Amino acid sequence: MYYVWVPMSTHSREAHDWDSFVDAQATRVLNLTGTWRCDDGGRYYIRQIGNQVWWTGLSDNGGGQTFTNVFHGTLRYDPISRATDIYGSWADVPRGRILQSGTLRLNLMSSDGFVKVSETGGFGGRIWSRL
């Protein structure tokens, strides 16, 4: 009787562990928590915990009568391009008149600014800067 030893692939686990390590290193120096403004006229209150990002965005410089949205996303670092992006979902809530939803991909230019790379659902803002 012959036995053939076939090693089990740990590639997916190693890749996941590496991704977690790289993301942890990238987000360790970032702190997005704070108040931000966007070129859509809104004020955004952002909270970052590790690589998770949440926000509430209110139009009219914080009044929220035109739109009020919520967002949840994940920071991801690409060691090849050396870019840090946030991938997530957003939805308007009925404080404002607009009620849309979709996804967002944002690129961090620095810890004081980021830009929209792609979106679905008609999200209007493009450029955020820290107040």
Side-chain angles (χ1 to χ4, degrees), residues 30-33 35-38 46 55 75 84-86 106-117 126-131:
L30 290 174
N31 182 7
L32 302 178
T33 297
T35 305
W36 295 70
R37 70 173 155 242
C38 184
I46 298 178
W55 82 43
L75 281 165
T84 301
D85 289 344
I86 305 171
L106 310 164
N107 178 260
L108 271 74
M109 307 307 285
S110 71
S111 61
D112 292 323
F114 53 93
V115 298
K116 178 174 70 177
V117 175
R126 296 179 318 112
I127 301 169
W128 286 257
S129 56
R130 191 183 296 271
L131 284 176

Side-chain angles (χ1 to χ4, degrees), residues 51-55 71-75 86-89:
N51 69 341
Q52 300 298 299
V53 177
W54 289 267
W55 82 43
F71 171 84
H72 177 246
T74 303
L75 281 165
I86 305 171
Y87 296 88
S89 299

Side-chain angles (χ1 to χ4, degrees), residues 55-82:
W55 82 43
T56 298
L58 295 104
S59 66
D60 313 309
N61 206 23
Q65 285 78 25
T66 304
F67 70 79
T68 297
N69 61 55
V70 294
F71 171 84
H72 177 246
T74 303
L75 281 165
R76 298 288 303 178
Y77 178 72
D78 182 349
I80 295 170
S81 67
R82 296 185 177 168

Side-chain angles (χ1 to χ4, degrees), residues 17-34:
D17 291 345
W18 172 250
D19 289 346
S20 297
F21 171 77
V22 169
D23 289 340
Q25 297 306 309
T27 59
R28 187 197 271 177
V29 297
L30 290 174
N31 182 7
L32 302 178
T33 297

